[in-house]
Amino acid sequence: MIKVAIVGGTGYTGVELLRLLAGHPQVEITAITSRSLAGTAVADLFPSLRGHSELVFSVPDVDTLAGADLVFFATPHGVAQAQVPELVQRGVRVIDLSADFRIKDIPTWERWYGQPHVAPALAAEAVYGLPEVHREQIASAQLVACPGCYPTAIQLGWIPLLESAAIEPSSLIANAASGASGAGRQGKTELLFAENSDNFRAYAASGHRHLPEIEQGLRNVQPEGSDPARLTFVPHLLPMVRGIHATLYARLKPGQTLESAQALFAQRYRDEPFVDVMPVESHPQTRSVRGTNMCRISLHQPQGGDTLVVLSVIDNLAKGASAQALQNMNIMFGWKETLGLESPALLP
Amino acid sequence: MIKVAIVGGTGYTGVELLRLLAGHPQVEITAITSRSLAGTAVADLFPSLRGHSELVFSVPDVDTLAGADLVFFATPHGVAQAQVPELVQRGVRVIDLSADFRIKDIPTWERWYGQPHVAPALAAEAVYGLPEVHREQIASAQLVACPGCYPTAIQLGWIPLLESAAIEPSSLIANAASGASGAGRQGKTELLFAENSDNFRAYAASGHRHLPEIEQGLRNVQPEGSDPARLTFVPHLLPMVRGIHATLYARLKPGQTLESAQALFAQRYRDEPFVDVMPVESHPQTRSVRGTNMCRISLHQPQGGDTLVVLSVIDNLAKGASAQALQNMNIMFGWKETLGLESPALLP
Amino acid sequence: MIKVAIVGGTGYTGVELLRLLAGHPQVEITAITSRSLAGTAVADLFPSLRGHSELVFSVPDVDTLAGADLVFFATPHGVAQAQVPELVQRGVRVIDLSADFRIKDIPTWERWYGQPHVAPALAAEAVYGLPEVHREQIASAQLVACPGCYPTAIQLGWIPLLESAAIEPSSLIANAASGASGAGRQGKTELLFAENSDNFRAYAASGHRHLPEIEQGLRNVQPEGSDPARLTFVPHLLPMVRGIHATLYARLKPGQTLESAQALFAQRYRDEPFVDVMPVESHPQTRSVRGTNMCRISLHQPQGGDTLVVLSVIDNLAKGASAQALQNMNIMFGWKETLGLESPALLP
Amino acid sequence: MIKVAIVGGTGYTGVELLRLLAGHPQVEITAITSRSLAGTAVADLFPSLRGHSELVFSVPDVDTLAGADLVFFATPHGVAQAQVPELVQRGVRVIDLSADFRIKDIPTWERWYGQPHVAPALAAEAVYGLPEVHREQIASAQLVACPGCYPTAIQLGWIPLLESAAIEPSSLIANAASGASGAGRQGKTELLFAENSDNFRAYAASGHRHLPEIEQGLRNVQPEGSDPARLTFVPHLLPMVRGIHATLYARLKPGQTLESAQALFAQRYRDEPFVDVMPVESHPQTRSVRGTNMCRISLHQPQGGDTLVVLSVIDNLAKGASAQALQNMNIMFGWKETLGLESPALLP
């Protein structure tokens, strides 16, 4: 049993962490913080946790957090980079679910997030928590930067192809759509039920903050000497709660086929417990991964042309955030990687 | 470990059983039947089960079923009553999720279901599987008739009051609403997405098949000599997938108050693992029990008048069907009653 | 052609007014006010109005408003009572969609709305804008208080019965549910898509502000000497955008039957253009009135007992607010009552 | 006033036609046919039409149909091609909402629709009913083939660019998503509410029947000598009822910019009543066109690169089917093109 603390537990990634940790046999949650709700019982904010949690939100306090073996940050960007340095110095391991430590190039981070980065040295040290790529470094990491939701779905959908240089990297198109929980639990007019039900729209089509994270991840797996991956990325907002669906378009290099691509995926993800390569020409549904750490992928080659379409689905709050954080934790502490993450999706 | 078979696994209660049993440590599923899909892998029909189940639907066969320790029937009414007698004779224990064995009065069953009952003797022997009332009989039962979804939510909302004769039993009103999964997985026009999204309506307002089951259950807990419980029950169809919400209206007897009623509930359900009596004047949400075996209840006394309003929510596929079936199984086999049913609700 | 101004046009009743007025041949909108969005084009806030409106939100200004023949108030309660007196004094006619002038008993208003009423004399003069009851007074009214959404659906469902003393008035139960647009266009966490999708709950079960308005309206149509109507009213929040569904329970007086009740409705609403009495035992759907001024009603007598169930549906933003306001305007200005309100519902 | 008949009025395009024609001042509907529902009142099938239509479904009869000035076919593919020839011979004008006469190349039609075409000569004569391209021919056409929903949204989004050869035509990508009403009103399991709510998926990613229609339309507007437009098209199913959103990716030719592209759209659609070119970097919402004949379009140039993203939204049942059919009718009969199509969208 380890002691775990959560900083910023009032959002959707927070309640998802609590849900998943409630079923993890090796974890005791010792603190969950919220400045605005200090003193409120977690189960009063999230009635789904009545009977599952006696926790009460507390004011963030570094000494309390430093008493934990592991601290999760489920905070808006900017918070973790201010608080993590002292925790790391005191030997606490940290999994940050925010964007603070995902980008290695600090000027890029600062441009997209519109503020100075206050812990650039830690950003350099942080391990990017995509287990399918960085499993070994995660195992010994002190600070893991958990990937974003879109970046997870999109990277897993292209990694086998880019590692093998099977597609042209310079004109990638990622058309993706997310459930509304991806926008967080904030009282904004544009996120109201009455604004989003029976409605669909793109957003940030001219540029979304996840773009540099995705490009960094894709370039990282390309063989040396490759043209760097370049991406057009258009996100959309779905009238549903959970789920990300990425529809990925790339040009196959000469000699590549649907079958050869499928073989690359089968081989690359053979031993991955949370990537499911479906039969060719399948259509993965977002609900088939609801509440789970699974990513399901399928391939299409429309009209036998040279465009390979990859469909990739995850649950934005699970494999796209909190369940992937648990997967990272399992790796960091040497437990079975699937511990606490075995339940099938809730369907229907 | 026991061997379990499922008859009729292609509907929503079937896939919910499979989801829950996948997390139960004492059960091995040895067969799942479907006449129409025999030969199809379960995970091909329900992709959420990819990686969780190697089962293949098979043609129902009594010898195969008789090899199990327990058989679940997740079939339309009429099926179980034809097949259960032989299984029972051969010593197999059965939990029937259909309506076949819920009603003790056979003419009543035949009137509401429009067909003759072919196993009336078994209906007399069957134990009604509402653990909060019949726990002891369930433990030793050979045949358990798992309650319907509306009947579960409604009975749990009135039992403490009727047992104590705290309300007038002759003019009960149950206004209830169900998610669309309650109508089953059948290709009917009226169940289409485009027919039910952004739409709400009552149905069967002049008489619904769950009425006699509810009245039977309510009368069963009344003290001898009481006026029998009489119910007006109007169900509604919600534009959502899972969940039942019952809004129950009854007249308090003189001397009863909101506080005395709340005390009755607190006392009655003190040791029940799956009934959560919330603080007075709460409003339970259906999503707070999504995917779980929990029933959450709260009480209101509008304007301090003599009408007591009980709000009761369950997940129609879980406490209203498959999870309650697991709870019954746990009782029948002497396991911890919460085994395999501990996960918190999926929220949001 | 008359000149019309709208005060408070940034909410859902405001945009619905604009949608409907765009199709009304006798109206020119001369001003629409919003303190916070002054200077913004209406079509920038509501892109559905691109090409239909050149209006720009302006700061509320009494002289501008006084230049109109008619002013609609689509504001939160408290606003109209402060501004209407001067307009009325200057001879402008007013239709107030808020709650400010609906309740005749000022202490009751003040208790439920938690603030002093600053224009009690006008509240006394105001005509309650339910055309099915007050058509004649509306025609000559200077100030019309447009009814609330729940009150419209519920009153229309009981008026024929109470006028004829066909039901017991002292134990009425109104179980009603509303689409999320009824809660307005405000950035509250509890109204987020991710909080309300696939979720259903009651709210304000211990007492809702529409209760006194409903009771006042019901008592108003009872024959002299009747026991006053007494109501238990529980509202619920539906995971959909538009629509109110009221399920009304009352005890029939001796001698009354489903048929006699149906005859009362048929007779009472024979000439009403916006009340549709459906065949007995029908189930009206909220989508069948979406975007229209129609109220559809059907009757049930479950199990032939003494409880009469009335189902009544409206669109909360239309007959429950803005379309009813147009109906009132048509009456006030002597136009055909259905002018601008003829379109069938949008289905599916 | 003209006499209009509708063949196949029991689906969603049928009820949408009836809704729109109810508000058209020049049309009298004289017959609506359905073999399976002959004798049923239209308003019994679609309660939204109660009070708006006295029509009763009748068995299709060529003499009755031949008595009309105009016949709409709202039937599955294969029906119109069998029945239209005789009507045309008898001088009746026809607007076919099905796919029967959209494709000029008969072998292509036969390959994608899997059956022989029985009226190839008429297919050659039929005018493709996209008014923004074929307005003049439509005016005098006897048979108009109304475009499909995806083809309308996608063609309108690329026509200005292809006419001006501003984009590379050989690697077009259309990622599109449709509300569930696009799949029709058929009782299929996969279209159930419980299957599609809170779910999103691609379908027919390897090849969809609308592809050849789109390519034909795009090539038709290209200047002579251009490389023919080649398309990758992936449709998706949205958990909502109405609306199509197309996200279109194309490579700008050298010298083209976001501004030059925007100017092409502004110029091309300047006089089009039903195409709204929004400011650059807008994000059109599907609900902003709900129930209307409008197409809203906006342009993006992500990261200033050479990929131009066009966002195009329509209502699949309106501009994607029945409202566009009315627009065609208005042109054919020399009425104002917007007649009966003036209402703003229903929002929220």
Side-chain angles (χ1 to χ4, degrees):
Chain A
M1 293 284 280
I2 62 165
K3 291 181 182 170
V4 158
I6 299 173
V7 179
T10 63
Y12 291 139
T13 52
V15 64
E16 183 72 349
L17 264 179
L18 291 167
R19 180 182 75 88
L20 293 165
L21 289 172
H24 196 288
Q26 300 291 343
V27 166
E28 178 196 8
I29 306 176
T30 53
I32 182 163
T33 76
S34 163
R35 213 170 283 278
S36 58
L37 289 182
T40 299
V42 163
D44 285 352
L45 184 65
F46 298 119
S48 56
L49 295 173
R50 285 175 60 89
H52 293 281
S53 174
E54 303 297 317
L55 289 167
V56 174
F57 289 110
S58 59
V59 173
D61 168 71
V62 72
D63 289 328
T64 307
L65 298 178
D69 300 292
L70 174 66
V71 176
F72 291 101
F73 277 79
T75 46
H77 66 267
V79 175
Q81 59 183 264
Q83 300 184 13
V84 166
E86 180 169 356
L87 292 174
V88 162
Q89 218 169 11
R90 292 169 70 165
V92 182
R93 299 177 87 175
V94 170
I95 298 178
D96 177 23
L97 284 83
S98 86
D100 276 9
F101 299 108
R102 294 177 191 158
I103 305 281
K104 295 298 176 188
D105 187 64
I106 297 301
T108 297
W109 192 94
E110 293 180 333
R111 191 168 66 248
W112 283 92
Y113 288 88
Q115 63 187 75
H117 198 293
V118 302
L122 263 186
E125 277 176 37
V127 174
Y128 187 67
L130 193 63
E132 290 78 7
V133 178
H134 300 289
R135 184 169 278 115
E136 278 184 38
Q137 300 97 303
I138 292 165
S140 57
Q142 196 176 359
L143 169 58
V144 167
C146 214
C149 48
Y150 286 122
T152 297
I154 293 170
Q155 289 176 78
L156 292 176
W158 269 327
I159 282 172
L161 299 165
L162 287 171
E163 283 179 344
S164 308
I167 52 174
E168 300 288 350
S170 57
S171 58
L172 304 173
I173 290 175
N175 190 99
S178 172
S181 63
R185 198 174 150 273
Q186 318 163 54
K188 295 185 181 168
T189 304
E190 69 196 59
L191 299 179
L192 293 182
F193 185 91
E195 298 289 308
N196 289 291
S197 182
D198 215 60
N199 192 25
F200 184 61
R201 58 179 168 97
Y203 64 100
S206 298
H208 183 281
R209 285 172 173 171
H210 281 173
L211 182 95
E213 179 185 343
I214 301 168
E215 283 195 340
Q216 170 185 285
L218 295 178
R219 292 172 186 178
N220 180 56
V221 302
Q222 292 186 274
E224 260 182 77
S226 305
D227 283 347
R230 277 189 201 287
L231 179 65
T232 299
F233 166 47
V234 180
H236 301 70
L237 183 57
L238 284 162
M240 62 185 221
V241 177
R242 282 175 181 245
I244 279 191
H245 186 291
T247 308
L248 309 177
Y249 302 86
R251 193 171 307 177
L252 285 169
K253 287 207 177 153
Q256 297 290 338
T257 64
L258 180 61
E259 290 66 35
S260 67
Q262 178 79 2
L264 288 174
F265 277 79
Q267 167 66 20
R268 177 61 174 81
Y269 293 134
R270 199 181 41 193
D271 300 324
E272 287 298 338
F274 295 117
V275 183
D276 175 22
V277 181
M278 300 179 72
V280 287
E281 304 195 346
S282 301
H283 298 94
Q285 308 190 4
T286 57
R287 64 176 183 155
S288 80
V289 297
R290 189 189 289 141
T292 77
N293 197 45
M294 192 67 60
C295 174
R296 295 196 205 278
I297 292 175
S298 77
L299 310 187
H300 293 257
Q301 186 184 18
Q303 286 83 53
D306 63 356
T307 299
L308 183 76
V309 176
V310 181
L311 308 176
S312 170
V313 301
I314 62 168
D315 181 326
N316 56 301
L317 295 181
K319 181 66 175 170
S322 302
Q324 184 149 269
L326 255 73
Q327 185 181 1
N328 276 295
M329 176 185 75
N330 287 340
I331 296 170
M332 290 166 80
F333 288 85
W335 302 319
K336 197 178 171 210
E337 198 165 324
T338 56
L339 201 62
L341 297 168
E342 298 94 344
S343 298
L346 192 79
L347 175 155
Chain B
M1 292 283 280
I2 63 166
K3 290 180 183 170
V4 158
I6 299 172
V7 179
T10 64
Y12 292 138
T13 52
V15 64
E16 183 71 350
L17 264 179
L18 290 168
R19 180 181 76 88
L20 293 164
L21 290 172
H24 196 288
Q26 300 290 342
V27 167
E28 178 195 9
I29 306 176
T30 54
I32 181 162
T33 76
S34 163
R35 214 170 284 277
S36 59
L37 289 182
T40 299
V42 163
D44 285 352
L45 185 64
F46 298 120
S48 56
L49 296 172
R50 285 175 61 89
H52 293 281
S53 174
E54 303 297 317
L55 289 167
V56 173
F57 289 110
S58 60
V59 174
D61 168 70
V62 73
D63 289 328
T64 307
L65 297 178
D69 301 293
L70 173 67
V71 176
F72 291 101
F73 278 79
T75 45
H77 67 268
V79 176
Q81 59 182 263
Q83 300 185 13
V84 167
E86 182 170 352
L87 292 174
V88 162
Q89 220 170 12
R90 292 169 71 164
V92 182
R93 300 177 88 176
V94 171
I95 297 177
D96 177 24
L97 284 83
S98 86
D100 275 9
F101 299 107
R102 294 176 191 158
I103 304 281
K104 296 298 178 189
D105 188 65
I106 297 301
T108 297
W109 191 94
E110 293 179 333
R111 192 167 66 248
W112 283 91
Y113 289 87
Q115 62 187 76
H117 199 293
V118 302
L122 263 187
E125 279 176 36
V127 174
Y128 188 67
L130 192 64
E132 291 78 7
V133 177
H134 301 289
R135 185 169 278 115
E136 277 183 40
Q137 302 96 302
I138 292 165
S140 57
Q142 196 176 358
L143 170 58
V144 167
C146 214
C149 49
Y150 287 122
T152 297
I154 294 170
Q155 289 176 79
L156 292 176
W158 269 327
I159 282 171
L161 299 164
L162 287 171
E163 284 178 346
S164 309
I167 52 173
E168 300 288 351
S170 59
S171 58
L172 303 174
I173 290 175
N175 189 100
S178 173
S181 62
R185 196 173 152 274
Q186 317 161 57
K188 294 185 181 169
T189 303
E190 70 196 59
L191 299 179
L192 293 183
F193 185 90
E195 297 289 307
N196 289 289
S197 182
D198 214 61
N199 192 26
F200 185 61
R201 59 180 168 96
Y203 64 100
S206 298
H208 183 282
R209 284 172 173 171
H210 282 172
L211 183 94
E213 179 186 343
I214 300 167
E215 283 195 340
Q216 170 186 284
L218 296 178
R219 290 171 187 178
N220 179 57
V221 303
Q222 293 185 274
E224 261 182 75
S226 305
D227 284 346
R230 274 186 204 289
L231 179 66
T232 298
F233 166 47
V234 179
H236 301 70
L237 184 56
L238 284 163
M240 61 185 223
V241 177
R242 283 175 179 244
I244 280 191
H245 186 290
T247 307
L248 309 177
Y249 302 86
R251 194 171 306 177
L252 286 169
K253 287 205 178 155
Q256 296 291 338
T257 64
L258 181 60
E259 289 66 33
S260 66
Q262 178 80 2
L264 288 174
F265 276 80
Q267 167 66 21
R268 177 61 175 82
Y269 292 134
R270 198 183 38 192
D271 300 324
E272 286 299 338
F274 295 118
V275 183
D276 174 23
V277 181
M278 299 178 73
V280 288
E281 305 195 345
S282 301
H283 297 94
Q285 308 190 5
T286 57
R287 64 175 183 154
S288 79
V289 298
R290 188 189 290 142
T292 78
N293 198 44
M294 193 66 61
C295 174
R296 297 196 203 277
I297 291 175
S298 77
L299 309 187
H300 293 257
Q301 187 184 16
Q303 287 83 53
D306 63 358
T307 299
L308 184 75
V309 175
V310 181
L311 309 177
S312 169
V313 300
I314 62 168
D315 180 326
N316 57 300
L317 295 180
K319 181 65 175 172
S322 302
Q324 184 149 267
L326 254 75
Q327 184 182 4
N328 277 296
M329 176 185 76
N330 286 339
I331 297 170
M332 291 166 80
F333 287 86
W335 302 319
K336 196 179 173 210
E337 199 165 323
T338 57
L339 202 62
L341 297 169
E342 299 93 345
S343 298
L346 191 77
L347 176 154
Chain C
M1 293 284 281
I2 62 166
K3 290 179 184 172
V4 158
I6 299 173
V7 180
T10 63
Y12 291 138
T13 53
V15 65
E16 183 71 350
L17 264 178
L18 291 167
R19 180 181 76 88
L20 293 164
L21 289 172
H24 196 287
Q26 299 290 342
V27 167
E28 177 196 9
I29 307 176
T30 54
I32 181 163
T33 76
S34 162
R35 212 170 284 280
S36 59
L37 289 183
T40 299
V42 163
D44 285 351
L45 184 65
F46 299 119
S48 56
L49 295 172
R50 286 175 60 90
H52 292 281
S53 174
E54 303 296 317
L55 289 167
V56 174
F57 289 111
S58 60
V59 174
D61 167 71
V62 73
D63 289 329
T64 307
L65 298 177
D69 300 293
L70 173 66
V71 176
F72 290 101
F73 278 79
T75 44
H77 67 268
V79 175
Q81 60 183 266
Q83 300 186 13
V84 167
E86 182 169 354
L87 292 174
V88 163
Q89 220 171 9
R90 293 169 71 164
V92 182
R93 298 179 88 175
V94 171
I95 298 179
D96 178 23
L97 284 83
S98 86
D100 276 9
F101 300 107
R102 294 177 191 158
I103 305 282
K104 296 298 177 189
D105 187 64
I106 297 301
T108 297
W109 191 94
E110 293 179 332
R111 193 169 62 250
W112 283 91
Y113 287 88
Q115 62 187 76
H117 199 293
V118 302
L122 263 186
E125 279 176 36
V127 174
Y128 188 67
L130 192 64
E132 290 78 7
V133 179
H134 300 289
R135 185 170 278 114
E136 278 183 39
Q137 300 97 302
I138 292 165
S140 57
Q142 195 175 0
L143 169 59
V144 167
C146 213
C149 48
Y150 287 121
T152 296
I154 294 170
Q155 289 176 80
L156 292 175
W158 269 327
I159 282 170
L161 300 165
L162 287 171
E163 284 178 346
S164 308
I167 52 173
E168 300 289 351
S170 58
S171 58
L172 303 173
I173 290 175
N175 189 99
S178 173
S181 63
R185 196 174 152 274
Q186 317 162 56
K188 295 184 181 170
T189 304
E190 70 197 59
L191 299 179
L192 293 183
F193 185 91
E195 297 288 308
N196 289 290
S197 182
D198 215 62
N199 192 26
F200 184 61
R201 59 180 168 95
Y203 64 99
S206 298
H208 183 281
R209 284 170 173 171
H210 282 173
L211 183 95
E213 179 185 345
I214 301 167
E215 284 195 341
Q216 171 185 284
L218 296 178
R219 291 172 186 177
N220 179 56
V221 302
Q222 292 185 275
E224 260 182 75
S226 305
D227 284 346
R230 273 187 205 289
L231 179 65
T232 299
F233 166 46
V234 179
H236 301 70
L237 183 56
L238 284 162
M240 61 185 223
V241 176
R242 282 174 180 249
I244 280 191
H245 186 291
T247 308
L248 309 176
Y249 302 87
R251 194 172 305 178
L252 287 169
K253 286 203 177 156
Q256 296 290 338
T257 64
L258 180 61
E259 290 66 35
S260 67
Q262 177 79 3
L264 288 174
F265 277 80
Q267 168 66 21
R268 177 62 174 81
Y269 293 134
R270 200 182 38 194
D271 300 324
E272 286 299 337
F274 295 116
V275 183
D276 175 22
V277 181
M278 300 178 72
V280 288
E281 305 195 345
S282 302
H283 297 95
Q285 308 191 5
T286 57
R287 63 175 184 155
S288 79
V289 298
R290 188 189 292 142
T292 78
N293 198 44
M294 192 65 61
C295 174
R296 296 198 203 278
I297 292 174
S298 77
L299 310 186
H300 293 257
Q301 187 184 17
Q303 286 84 54
D306 62 359
T307 298
L308 184 76
V309 175
V310 181
L311 308 176
S312 171
V313 300
I314 62 168
D315 181 325
N316 55 301
L317 294 180
K319 181 66 174 170
S322 302
Q324 185 150 268
L326 254 74
Q327 186 182 2
N328 276 296
M329 176 185 76
N330 287 340
I331 296 170
M332 291 165 80
F333 288 86
W335 301 320
K336 194 176 174 213
E337 198 165 321
T338 56
L339 201 63
L341 297 169
E342 298 94 346
S343 298
L346 191 77
L347 175 155
Chain D
M1 291 284 280
I2 62 166
K3 290 181 184 170
V4 158
I6 299 172
V7 180
T10 63
Y12 291 138
T13 52
V15 65
E16 182 71 350
L17 264 179
L18 291 166
R19 180 181 76 88
L20 293 164
L21 290 172
H24 196 287
Q26 299 291 341
V27 167
E28 178 194 9
I29 306 175
T30 54
I32 181 163
T33 76
S34 163
R35 214 169 282 278
S36 58
L37 289 182
T40 299
V42 163
D44 285 352
L45 184 65
F46 298 120
S48 55
L49 296 172
R50 285 175 61 90
H52 294 280
S53 174
E54 303 296 317
L55 289 168
V56 173
F57 290 110
S58 59
V59 173
D61 168 70
V62 72
D63 289 328
T64 308
L65 297 178
D69 301 293
L70 173 66
V71 176
F72 291 101
F73 277 79
T75 45
H77 65 268
V79 175
Q81 59 183 265
Q83 301 185 12
V84 166
E86 181 169 353
L87 292 174
V88 162
Q89 218 170 12
R90 295 170 68 166
V92 182
R93 299 177 88 176
V94 171
I95 297 178
D96 177 23
L97 284 82
S98 86
D100 275 10
F101 299 107
R102 293 176 191 158
I103 305 280
K104 295 298 177 189
D105 187 63
I106 297 301
T108 297
W109 191 93
E110 294 180 331
R111 193 168 63 247
W112 284 91
Y113 289 88
Q115 61 187 76
H117 198 293
V118 302
L122 263 186
E125 279 176 36
V127 174
Y128 187 68
L130 192 64
E132 290 77 7
V133 177
H134 300 289
R135 184 169 278 114
E136 278 183 39
Q137 302 95 302
I138 292 165
S140 57
Q142 196 175 359
L143 168 58
V144 167
C146 214
C149 48
Y150 287 121
T152 296
I154 294 170
Q155 289 176 77
L156 292 176
W158 269 327
I159 282 171
L161 299 165
L162 287 171
E163 284 178 345
S164 308
I167 52 173
E168 301 288 351
S170 58
S171 57
L172 303 174
I173 291 175
N175 189 100
S178 172
S181 63
R185 197 175 151 274
Q186 317 162 58
K188 294 185 182 169
T189 304
E190 70 195 59
L191 299 179
L192 292 182
F193 185 91
E195 297 289 308
N196 289 291
S197 181
D198 215 60
N199 192 24
F200 185 61
R201 60 180 167 94
Y203 65 100
S206 298
H208 183 281
R209 283 171 173 170
H210 282 173
L211 182 94
E213 179 185 344
I214 301 168
E215 283 195 340
Q216 170 185 284
L218 296 179
R219 290 172 187 178
N220 179 57
V221 301
Q222 291 186 273
E224 260 182 76
S226 305
D227 282 345
R230 274 186 203 290
L231 180 65
T232 299
F233 166 47
V234 179
H236 301 71
L237 184 56
L238 284 162
M240 61 185 223
V241 177
R242 282 174 181 247
I244 279 191
H245 186 291
T247 307
L248 309 177
Y249 302 86
R251 194 171 306 177
L252 286 169
K253 286 206 178 154
Q256 296 290 338
T257 63
L258 181 61
E259 290 65 34
S260 66
Q262 178 79 2
L264 288 174
F265 276 79
Q267 167 66 20
R268 177 61 175 81
Y269 292 135
R270 199 182 39 192
D271 299 324
E272 287 299 337
F274 295 117
V275 182
D276 174 23
V277 181
M278 300 179 72
V280 287
E281 304 196 345
S282 301
H283 297 94
Q285 308 190 4
T286 57
R287 64 176 184 154
S288 79
V289 298
R290 189 190 288 142
T292 77
N293 198 44
M294 193 66 61
C295 175
R296 297 198 203 277
I297 291 175
S298 76
L299 310 187
H300 293 257
Q301 187 184 16
Q303 286 82 55
D306 63 357
T307 299
L308 184 75
V309 176
V310 181
L311 308 177
S312 171
V313 300
I314 62 168
D315 181 327
N316 56 302
L317 294 179
K319 180 66 174 171
S322 302
Q324 184 149 269
L326 254 76
Q327 184 182 2
N328 276 297
M329 176 185 76
N330 286 340
I331 297 170
M332 290 166 80
F333 287 86
W335 302 320
K336 193 177 175 213
E337 198 165 323
T338 56
L339 201 62
L341 297 169
E342 298 93 345
S343 298
L346 191 77
L347 175 155

